[in-house]
Amino acid sequence: MMTIATISPRPGRPPSITRERIADAGIAMGLPAMTFTGVAALLGVSHVALYKHVAHLAALKLLVAEEIFVRWELPDSGNEDLQNYLLRFSASLRQLVKLHPGLAPYLLRRKATTPAMLARIDAHQTQVADDYQLPQERARWLLSTVAFHCVALADTVYAPAGDAWEEDDATIEAEFDLGMRALVVGALAMRP
C-alpha cells in the first residue's frame, strides 16, 4: 500500500505547478493509484490549485502517460541487423510497460494516444525506415506489429495476479523472449 506524504505549507510563495512537476508526482504515484488529491499532496498544493492546470483525472493520467512515453529512451537503430534491433526495441518497450503499470492502454488505443506521442512514434518509424532502407509503410507495420503485441503481452504478464499463482520470473522472461523472437522472425518473413 502506497502512503502519500503530506507536505506542510511553507510561508511565502507557493510552489509552482509545472507540467514536469505534475508528471513527476504522477509517475511517483503510479497511473493505477493516481488521484487528484494525491498528486496535489505530492506537489505541496491544494487539489483546487491543480485543477487550474489539469481539467480532470482522465486528463491528469493522460498527461502523465504522455510524459512517461516521451521520456522513454528508445534504443538506437541501425547499428545491427533489423531482427536484432526489433528484439531490442521489444525488450525496451517491455521494460517500459513493466516499470509503469497502467501505461499499456495509452500505448495501444488510438484515442488515448496524444499528438506528441504520435509524433514520436512517426519519427521513430521514419528513423528505422531510413536506417534499414525500408519503405516507410513497411517500417511502420513492423514496428507497430511488434509494439502492439509486446505491450499487450507485457501488460498481461506483469499485471498483478494476486494470490492466484506465482511462476518463476526467469521462466516467464524466457517465454516472453521466445514469443517475441517468434513474432519478429514471422513479421520479417511476411509481406503484408
Side-chain angles (χ1 to χ4, degrees):
M1 177 179 201
M2 176 182 233
T3 59
I4 299 174
T6 305
I7 300 170
S8 303
R10 296 182 308 236
R13 191 171 192 195
S16 63
I17 302 175
T18 64
R19 178 182 176 86
E20 183 176 295
R21 289 190 69 228
I22 293 169
D24 289 343
I27 291 167
M29 180 168 272
L31 286 164
M34 190 177 306
T35 63
F36 240 84
T37 54
V39 170
L42 288 174
L43 292 170
V45 300
S46 72
H47 70 282
V48 174
L50 183 56
Y51 272 115
K52 292 177 183 177
H53 297 271
V54 185
H56 44 74
L57 182 59
L60 177 62
K61 287 185 175 193
L62 185 60
L63 179 153
V64 172
E66 177 184 270
E67 196 61 31
I68 290 168
F69 184 73
V70 168
R71 291 179 185 185
W72 171 45
E73 191 172 324
L74 280 159
D76 291 334
S77 61
N79 300 326
E80 61 204 320
D81 68 28
L82 183 55
Q83 178 177 316
N84 285 327
Y85 175 72
L86 291 172
L87 291 170
R88 274 193 323 107
F89 168 67
S90 73
S92 178
L93 191 53
R94 175 169 97 191
Q95 191 64 19
L96 178 71
V97 173
K98 184 178 183 178
L99 291 174
H100 300 284
L103 181 62
Y106 298 95
L107 303 177
L108 296 175
R109 298 184 183 136
R110 277 281 183 199
K111 288 183 178 181
T113 307
T114 68
M117 293 167 79
L118 291 172
R120 186 156 195 240
I121 291 166
D122 185 59
H124 178 237
Q125 292 169 351
T126 299
Q127 183 66 52
V128 169
D130 291 347
D131 288 346
Y132 293 99
Q133 293 83 48
L134 297 171
Q136 180 72 26
E137 187 58 28
R138 175 91 171 132
R140 187 204 64 74
W141 182 82
L142 284 168
L143 290 164
S144 296
T145 299
V146 170
F148 183 85
H149 291 282
C150 179
V151 169
L153 182 58
D155 189 48
T156 302
V157 167
Y158 301 123
D163 295 333
W165 54 274
E166 284 201 28
E167 177 105 21
D168 179 34
D169 285 347
T171 302
I172 291 173
E173 296 298 324
E175 289 175 0
F176 201 135
D177 287 339
L178 187 60
M180 289 311 300
R181 179 172 297 283
L183 176 72
V184 167
V185 169
L188 288 170
M190 287 181 66
R191 293 286 173 197

